[in-house]
Amino acid sequence: MDLKPIHTGQCHCGAVKFTVNLPNGLEKLRRCDCSMCRRKGAIVASVTLSNLTITAGEEVLRLYQFNTHTAKHYFCSNCGIYTHHQRRSDPTEFGINVGCLDSINPYELGEVPVSDGVNHPADRQS
């Protein structure tokens, strides 16, 4: 796997391009079983908000929100590929679709933990 500290990524059609700073590699790799993630099936890694920069196609990105409308899910309006989201669990981070990173094959990552999004920590009563 060719993982540089500054890595590029894009949606399927190439309209949305981004750079991501990965000083510690791919962090917090996970899948999620919430209703949204079950359907998109992406492997996600986390970066702080300042470590992701959209370099092209910001105008074609679309926002989708559901349930509490806290998480912000972004996808390309041309090809429909989910590129990243601002996390509900930690709004100071983006979750990035590892499958959108150039030269990364998510199927080579081995076993990836599944987060319990159905029983989201923010939904639990204290």
Side-chain angles (χ1 to χ4, degrees):
M1 184 174 354
D2 183 22
L3 192 62
K4 303 171 190 82
I6 302 293
H7 210 84
T8 58
Q10 61 185 332
C11 64
H12 188 259
C13 71
V16 176
K17 296 180 188 290
F18 60 90
T19 60
V20 62
N21 184 12
L22 302 169
N24 302 313
L26 295 172
E27 295 186 274
K28 301 180 186 175
L29 278 175
R30 66 200 175 280
R31 290 182 183 273
C32 176
D33 69 357
C34 78
S35 62
M36 175 77 164
C37 293
R38 271 194 321 264
R39 287 165 175 82
K40 68 184 172 195
I43 295 174
V44 177
S46 290
V47 297
T48 60
L49 297 181
S50 62
N51 281 332
L52 182 132
T53 304
I54 303 300
T55 57
E58 191 162 1
E59 71 282 358
V60 298
L61 277 175
R62 294 295 177 266
L63 171 65
Y64 178 71
Q65 292 180 282
F66 68 102
N67 193 16
T68 65
H69 293 267
T70 305
K72 298 177 181 177
H73 301 265
Y74 295 95
F75 64 96
C76 174
S77 62
N78 291 335
C79 64
I81 294 297
Y82 149 73
T83 54
H84 65 289
H85 72 281
Q86 188 170 4
R87 297 185 60 207
R88 178 180 178 199
S89 299
D90 187 348
T92 67
E93 292 181 341
F94 282 124
I96 54 168
N97 181 351
V98 174
C100 289
L101 295 176
D102 296 329
S103 76
I104 302 295
N105 181 346
Y107 293 98
E108 295 175 355
L109 295 173
E111 192 69 29
V112 176
V114 176
S115 297
D116 184 1
V118 172
N119 301 295
H120 196 280
D123 295 336
R124 295 184 188 135
Q125 299 292 330
S126 302

